[in-house]
Amino acid sequence: MKILSISDVHGDYNENFINYLENNKDIDLILINGDITNFGPLEFVGDFINSIVDLDFDVFAIQGNCDPKEVPDVIKDTNGTCLHKNVKTYGNVIIFGFGGSNPTPFNTPGEFEDEYLYENIKELLLEYEENMEDEDLKVKILLTHAPPLDSEADKIPDGVHVGSKAIRDIIEEFNIDINLCGHIHEAKSIDNIANTIVVNPGMLKDNHGCLVTIDDDTSDFNVEIVSFGQ
């Protein structure tokens, strides 16, 4: 199985990305890590997600902090799946989703206090643990817009870390295999926290995504940042 994760679309279709999809039809699922728009318009959400689905890919998406508050409901009206406050099984993968970010200096629409992020993401994970089946066969992915605090994924150019303590706490407390995030455009990276691989693929405009390749029999996986060209 192959899963491709992108983030911070900000209203840009990016022909390089579309060309990449057209040449890599063996990808099964596209994950969108938030900031689909740049404070709107809402119409772009459906147009963008449906354009990917029309290429015969499944799409799961969450909103980011720069998306209007209506975006989760708009995603639900597309041919993709809204993963905000949601858990979905896909083959031998279980994906937990939560959009938005911790507070920023810019008072953007999709911000949540860290305590709110922690309690809501924890609720998703605990609900799954109570009802889990064949846990050993599932690769657990946490899809967030905000990156965890004090990682390569949350570092702005002056070296300051601006990520979410809540998401870091969740990673340290639960058995998450991969955290796919975004939000900090300049922080394209692969990092590790405890036993979790943390990936921020950067802004889509910069032509990168994260490709997760999972062995269907063993659930072994590989994570890499791929280029869509220049």
Side-chain angles (χ1 to χ4, degrees), residues 4 35 42 84 86 169 172 177-178 196 200 214:
L4 180 66
D35 276 359
L42 293 175
H84 177 57
N86 203 356
D169 288 346
E172 291 178 340
D177 294 302
I178 305 167
T196 301
N200 179 349
I214 302 168

Side-chain angles (χ1 to χ4, degrees), residues 5-14 17 31-39 44 48 61-67 100-101 104 108 143-147 153 180-188 199-209 228:
S5 167
I6 61 169
S7 192
D8 295 86
V9 180
H10 289 292
D12 179 15
Y13 275 99
N14 192 331
F17 167 62
L31 298 178
I32 303 175
N33 310 4
D35 276 359
I36 301 170
T37 73
N38 196 39
F39 306 103
F44 178 82
F48 183 71
I62 57 174
Q63 82 280 16
N65 64 297
C66 292
D67 286 315
S101 78
T104 77
T108 53
L143 179 67
T144 60
H145 181 62
L180 299 171
C181 56
H183 188 45
I184 308 303
H185 301 170
E186 311 87 352
K188 173 173 65 71
V199 189
N200 179 349
M203 187 179 185
L204 180 62
K205 186 177 180 180
D206 293 332
N207 292 307
H208 292 96
F228 303 139

